[in-house]
Amino acid sequence: MSNYQSAIEAVKAIKEKAGESWNAINPESIARMRVQNKFKTGLDIAQYTADIMREDMAEFDADNTKYTQSLGCWHGFVGQQKLISIKKHFGSTKRRYLYLSGWMVAALRSEFGPLPDQSMHEKTTVASLVEELYTFLRQADARELGGLFRALDKAHEAGDAAQASNIQDEIDNYQTHVVPIIADIDAGFGNAEATYLMAKQMIEAGACALQIENQVADEKQCGHQDGKVTVPHADFHSKIRALRHAFLELGIDNGIIVSRTDSEGAGLTKEIAVVKEPGDQGDIYNSFLDVEEIDVSEMAEGDVCFNRDGKLVRPKRLPSGLYQFRQGTGEERCVFDSIEAIKAGADLLWIETATPNVADIAAMMNEVRKEIPNAKLVYNNSPSFNWTLNFRQQAFDAMAEAGEDVSAYIRDDLMNAEYDNSELAAKADDKIRSFQADSARDANIFHHLITLPTYHTTALSVDNLAKEYFGDAAMLGYVEGVQRKEIRQGIACVKHQNMSGSDMGDDHKEYFAGENALKAGGAKNTSNQFS
């Protein structure tokens, strides 16, 4: 028996037990509402999506062409429209996720107004956005299924059994818009207990994958800005374990932890690590410090010094009290961080890099995989990179190394629009196009994301509309630039009343009030112009 029909029969049985007072309840209406509300709680979503991610990770281990992707979304509606578009264009949401960026939460969702990415926004904002995103994705399910139910009614009314059977099959094999969210918990917003409490909120809202970074929580900086300060592994790993405890307490036994290291660009640490025995984590961490060998007589009042291989050394300390790492150790520290994070319980790695260079990323991951063969990376295809300039420079260097003539190009001026139609630009664009596939293959990148794309697309589309609407085009600026494109491209929200839930509301009015229902979707509804 089909899922939908099973639901009808189940409600019929409940209704019979309830007696005559339930005579006005239509089992088919209740069954439809149940099918439209597959996920009853955020934990249901977290478990469902954790299972999806684990399956995808296993598939990637067997075939690294099957990498996954996501775009960062700063509002539930943005995430909803993204998934509606994916289903429309590709017929499936498989291996497509959502990313929740702490940067965009800080810049767009804080009650303080726009903030830099420095963990100054409210702790609960990320969990609230996870819940909001899934509310909108569940609404997308309900809306689309509601349309199928109405089509099923029409097929029955027309006596078209074949069409009714086809629609019934669509309902019973419906693919949800609900997909995994990788959610940014920054550096945990405090100590390990604060990290644990915040993680529980995020998981209860539906997050199956939490990304945490090894910066000092109260000095946290955007990964693409200067002034990043890391913490010793003992501190960071306690937060990884806090995330695992939160997952396990809530019954999400296969929740995913993404360990991010900012060490490639971080030249500072707040602490000298505790060393229990030579060669341990703390000892290796301290070995990267920029130190000078001194005699006891050279120690100044307040100096911090320690023993290294029987010698007294003084780490270089800034006026802020922070300690400095040796120049050129960033990549080595990234490898060390990544290996130790997986040993501490992380499932996926995240390495922030200075530029999007496949060879550089692969070099670090190859070192990690010598010790952890199936280590997989989440990589930020960041808008903080100038992709055009970086890849044009990479193309220039490759052409020069191959002995090709590059005299027509000025390497430091490759962003110049004069080069847009050049052979070099075409080669660079080809490499941008294949970057995700190339780096999945060479650097074992399981998940590619863009952190802030919808921040930029919002600004770009508003700029284009403002330029036209407030200029000579006036109303044509909106009609030609927005509405006509929505119609031509089949954008669902051109019927914005339907997208906001008006038709679902009409369905419910009919369920609740029967023939007395006062519905909005009648002949005078101007949305009929878009039928």
Side-chain angles (χ1 to χ4, degrees):
M1 189 178 289
S2 67
N3 294 333
Y4 177 44
Q5 291 299 323
S6 298
I8 293 173
E9 295 305 318
V11 178
K12 280 182 179 177
I14 296 169
K15 179 182 174 181
E16 286 175 9
K17 289 182 181 178
E20 292 185 2
S21 64
W22 280 29
N23 281 350
I25 300 295
N26 182 345
E28 192 164 3
S29 299
I30 303 300
R32 291 182 175 190
M33 295 173 80
R34 286 187 172 187
V35 171
Q36 287 172 300
N37 187 24
K38 176 180 178 179
F39 304 99
K40 305 300 187 285
T41 70
L43 288 178
D44 290 340
I45 293 172
Q47 187 60 72
Y48 172 78
T49 53
D51 291 342
I52 288 174
M53 275 196 75
R54 290 291 179 179
E55 289 172 8
D56 288 345
M57 289 161 69
E59 283 190 17
F60 179 82
D61 283 339
D63 179 0
N64 62 18
T65 67
K66 294 183 177 179
Y67 57 88
T68 57
Q69 298 169 292
S70 66
L71 296 173
C73 296
W74 57 272
H75 191 279
F77 177 73
V78 178
Q80 178 198 63
Q81 293 306 300
K82 172 189 149 181
L83 267 297
I84 288 173
S85 294
I86 287 171
K87 282 191 69 176
K88 179 183 74 175
H89 291 297
F90 305 105
S92 170
T93 60
K94 187 166 178 58
R95 296 197 294 274
R96 278 104 179 187
Y97 303 168
L98 283 171
Y99 179 66
L100 194 161
S101 160
W103 191 100
M104 285 206 287
V105 170
L108 299 170
R109 301 303 301 261
S110 172
E111 292 185 10
F112 295 107
L115 293 172
D117 183 21
Q118 296 172 0
S119 290
M120 294 191 291
H121 54 278
E122 302 85 348
K123 291 183 180 183
T124 57
T125 312
V126 177
S128 297
L129 181 51
V130 173
E131 183 177 17
E132 177 182 295
L133 283 160
Y134 281 128
T135 296
F136 273 79
L137 295 183
R138 292 163 66 199
Q139 192 262 10
D141 284 355
R143 170 191 161 274
E144 196 166 80
L145 281 162
L148 289 172
F149 289 134
R150 287 188 291 277
L152 182 64
D153 291 340
K154 288 182 180 178
H156 284 315
E157 290 167 9
D160 190 339
Q163 177 68 357
S165 178
N166 290 337
I167 296 170
Q168 181 75 59
D169 188 62
E170 282 191 67
I171 293 168
D172 293 334
N173 295 288
Y174 181 78
Q175 184 181 49
T176 177
H177 293 85
V178 169
V179 298
I181 289 177
I182 298 176
D184 185 355
I185 198 170
D186 275 24
F189 286 82
N191 60 14
E193 177 70 7
T195 302
Y196 153 77
L197 293 171
M198 189 170 168
K200 280 183 63 177
Q201 278 200 336
M202 293 166 68
I203 298 162
E204 288 168 339
C208 73
L210 302 178
Q211 166 224 326
I212 189 164
E213 59 207 61
N214 68 336
Q215 290 193 47
V216 177
D218 59 354
E219 298 280 357
K220 193 266 180 193
Q221 289 277 21
C222 171
H224 291 276
Q225 293 186 316
D226 205 355
K228 294 180 289 295
V229 183
T230 62
V231 296
H233 293 79
D235 294 11
F236 183 53
H237 294 172
S238 68
K239 294 184 178 182
I240 289 177
R241 288 189 289 273
L243 298 186
R244 184 62 67 201
H245 280 76
F247 274 122
L248 292 173
E249 177 185 339
L250 295 172
I252 312 301
D253 299 344
N254 59 349
I256 292 97
I257 297 171
V258 182
S259 170
R260 168 176 150 179
T261 174
D262 284 294
S263 289
E264 197 274 340
L268 303 169
T269 183
K270 197 167 188 177
E271 302 172 48
I272 296 173
V274 174
V275 178
K276 295 181 179 178
E277 59 184 53
D280 66 9
Q281 278 181 353
D283 194 21
I284 296 173
Y285 188 84
N286 291 342
S287 73
F288 295 114
L289 291 170
D290 192 355
V291 300
E292 56 182 346
E293 185 181 339
I294 64 167
D295 186 79
V296 174
S297 62
E298 298 176 83
M299 289 181 65
E301 192 73 22
D303 267 358
V304 174
C305 302
F306 61 89
N307 172 38
R308 175 181 289 173
D309 299 327
K311 299 173 182 177
L312 184 66
V313 297
R314 177 169 56 200
K316 292 186 178 177
R317 198 176 189 187
L318 303 181
S320 61
L322 300 172
Y323 300 97
Q324 186 171 300
F325 290 114
R326 297 194 316 277
Q327 291 290 321
T329 62
E331 292 190 5
E332 192 177 351
R333 285 184 282 123
C334 277
V335 171
F336 177 48
D337 293 343
S338 298
I339 291 170
E340 296 302 305
I342 290 180
K343 289 180 179 179
D347 302 290
L348 295 168
L349 302 171
W350 173 317
I351 296 174
E352 284 286 0
T353 62
T355 61
N357 186 298
V358 175
D360 291 347
I361 304 164
M364 285 187 278
M365 279 302 289
N366 287 341
E367 291 301 310
V368 174
R369 295 176 71 196
K370 286 178 182 177
E371 191 156 345
I372 315 286
N374 71 336
K376 291 178 284 295
L377 199 62
V378 172
Y379 189 72
N380 176 10
N381 293 222
S382 177
S384 292
F385 300 140
N386 185 330
W387 287 77
T388 301
L389 179 60
N390 271 291
F391 277 82
R392 286 184 181 180
Q393 289 179 337
Q394 289 178 36
F396 180 98
D397 295 342
M399 290 169 69
E401 188 175 342
E404 297 180 42
D405 182 10
V406 292
S407 60
Y409 308 104
I410 301 173
R411 192 180 188 280
D412 292 337
D413 191 37
L414 290 175
M415 269 303 295
N416 195 314
E418 290 181 8
Y419 298 130
D420 285 356
N421 296 314
S422 67
E423 179 189 0
L424 182 146
K427 288 183 176 182
D429 284 353
D430 281 343
K431 281 298 182 183
I432 293 172
R433 184 180 298 108
S434 67
F435 172 80
Q436 294 187 339
D438 293 344
S439 54
R441 180 192 64 237
D442 295 345
N444 223 42
I445 296 180
F446 162 72
H447 186 75
H448 282 281
L449 61 92
I450 307 178
T451 43
L452 323 174
T454 53
Y455 177 90
H456 292 280
T457 55
T458 300
L460 181 63
S461 62
V462 170
D463 181 78
N464 289 332
L465 176 59
K467 177 179 66 177
E468 298 298 323
Y469 177 74
F470 294 104
D472 294 339
M475 192 57 198
L476 182 61
Y478 173 76
V479 172
E480 187 175 46
V482 180
Q483 189 181 80
R484 193 176 297 161
K485 288 183 178 179
E486 286 181 302
I487 295 169
R488 299 286 186 255
Q489 293 176 217
I491 304 297
C493 71
V494 71
K495 298 181 182 181
H496 48 260
Q497 307 287 11
N498 168 270
M499 184 58 64
S500 69
S502 179
D503 289 335
M504 286 190 294
D506 277 358
D507 292 339
H508 294 164
K509 289 175 186 176
E510 195 166 6
Y511 299 164
F512 307 154
E515 62 183 17
N516 295 327
L518 181 63
K519 298 196 289 186
K524 294 185 177 180
N525 188 321
T526 58
S527 290
N528 295 333
Q529 297 170 34
F530 299 99
S531 297

